[in-house]
Amino acid sequence: MNYEDKKIVGIIASNVEPEVALNVIGHLAISIGKYSDAEIMGKPIISDKSGIEHLGISKFPLIVTKVKAGKLRTAIEMAKANPKLLVADYPKDMLDTRTDEELVNSINSKENEKLEYLGAIIYGETQDVNEITGKFQLWRLD
């Protein structure tokens, strides 16, 4: 499999502060890594010339983008409608709660349209991911 066959795109709502954006992407990356297929990873352990081991990284590109909150919600909905894509989303409830139990209770108590999304990561075949995220602006400090 070629490294260009699949793609990982992080999406951050444009109103999210940089320090929060890093937290959002970090949590989402762990989730995508946990629930993705085995082929997402390159070589699991890479030894340097000294024999020191380093954990491998994803063999597919990870691009971080930003969009307005409405477009983020639409992207999440489109990605979840495609069964070939893996989607991790980050509702604001994740910042507003302290424990996993509080988070579960908070999300369970709301209809989806009441959730405010701060970010998401979409993983899948490049063409499918590009159909949703291809025109999004790369994330950067303004």
Side-chain angles (χ1 to χ4, degrees):
M1 174 166 292
N2 185 318
Y3 81 96
E4 294 176 328
D5 291 343
K6 294 201 174 188
K7 188 175 195 178
I8 308 160
V9 175
I11 312 163
I12 300 292
S14 57
N15 62 335
V16 173
E17 296 295 323
E19 61 274 13
V20 175
L22 293 171
N23 183 280
V24 169
I25 287 296
H27 280 280
L28 290 171
I30 290 170
S31 183
I32 284 292
K34 165 69 176 164
Y35 296 105
S36 66
D37 52 35
E39 69 185 11
I40 197 172
M41 291 300 296
K43 185 171 171 79
I45 304 292
I46 304 167
S47 296
D48 65 28
K49 193 172 181 177
S50 304
I52 304 296
E53 293 183 344
H54 307 272
L55 293 178
I57 62 170
S58 167
K59 66 180 169 183
F60 303 114
L62 169 60
I63 297 159
V64 180
T65 63
K66 71 176 178 179
V67 296
K68 291 184 178 179
K71 284 191 176 191
L72 172 59
R73 175 176 289 282
T74 301
I76 291 169
E77 291 169 357
M78 289 174 62
K80 286 185 175 187
N82 183 338
K84 297 188 296 182
L85 296 175
L86 179 61
V87 183
D89 59 54
Y90 194 103
K92 186 175 182 288
D93 303 59
M94 293 183 178
L95 289 180
D96 296 337
T97 57
R98 290 189 37 209
T99 67
D100 191 59
E101 184 178 345
E102 289 175 3
L103 173 63
V104 170
N105 289 336
S106 180
I107 291 175
N108 282 340
S109 71
K110 295 179 181 173
E111 297 291 331
N112 184 57
E113 59 271 359
K114 298 290 184 186
L115 294 175
E116 177 185 349
Y117 291 105
L118 302 183
I121 289 185
I122 303 170
Y123 165 66
E125 293 190 20
T126 299
Q127 180 179 342
D128 292 327
V129 175
N130 282 347
E131 285 178 14
I132 298 169
T133 65
K135 294 185 179 184
F136 292 175
Q137 177 183 1
L138 286 177
W139 188 88
R140 65 180 192 280
L141 291 175
D142 291 328

